[in-house]
């Protein structure tokens, strides 16, 4: 079963940093979770943590 996982950092409407996580099966609508952080560095730290977890589970890094 082919799956995908997307991590991105984007600004919120209020100037905070948000970590957006999207996942699911390829070719199907997936799920999306938005996490708010006080600043960019906290969001980057969380992104790196999620990236390590997913790479350990076999996900491969791919840029768009």
């Amino acid at each position: 079963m082919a799956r995908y996982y997307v991590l991105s950092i984007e600004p919120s409407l209020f100037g905070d940093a948000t970590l957006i996580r999207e996942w699911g099966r390829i070719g199907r609508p997936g799920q999306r979770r938005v996490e708010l952080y006080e600043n960019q560095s906290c969001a980057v730290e969380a992104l790196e943590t999620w990236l390590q977890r997913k790479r350990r589970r076999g996900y491969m890094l791919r840029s768009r």
Side-chain angles (χ1 to χ4, degrees), residues 35-48:
E35 299 174 2
L36 296 171
Y37 291 92
E38 294 178 5
N39 54 41
Q40 184 83 9
S41 63
C42 291
V44 169
E45 186 176 320
L47 182 138
E48 290 173 354

Side-chain angles (χ1 to χ4, degrees), residues 5-41:
Y5 206 96
V6 178
L7 297 168
S8 63
I9 296 176
E10 298 178 13
S12 71
L13 293 174
F14 304 107
D16 299 329
T18 59
L19 172 62
I20 299 176
R21 300 185 294 136
E22 298 178 56
W23 66 92
R25 293 178 67 177
I26 294 176
R28 302 260 176 139
Q31 297 182 21
R32 180 179 178 141
R33 178 156 301 171
V34 177
E35 299 174 2
L36 296 171
Y37 291 92
E38 294 178 5
N39 54 41
Q40 184 83 9
S41 63

Side-chain angles (χ1 to χ4, degrees), residues 49-61:
T49 301
W50 276 107
L51 183 61
Q52 288 175 355
R53 287 178 188 165
K54 294 303 166 184
R55 297 214 47 205
R56 268 187 263 142
R57 293 195 52 120
Y59 285 88
M60 293 181 281
L61 188 60

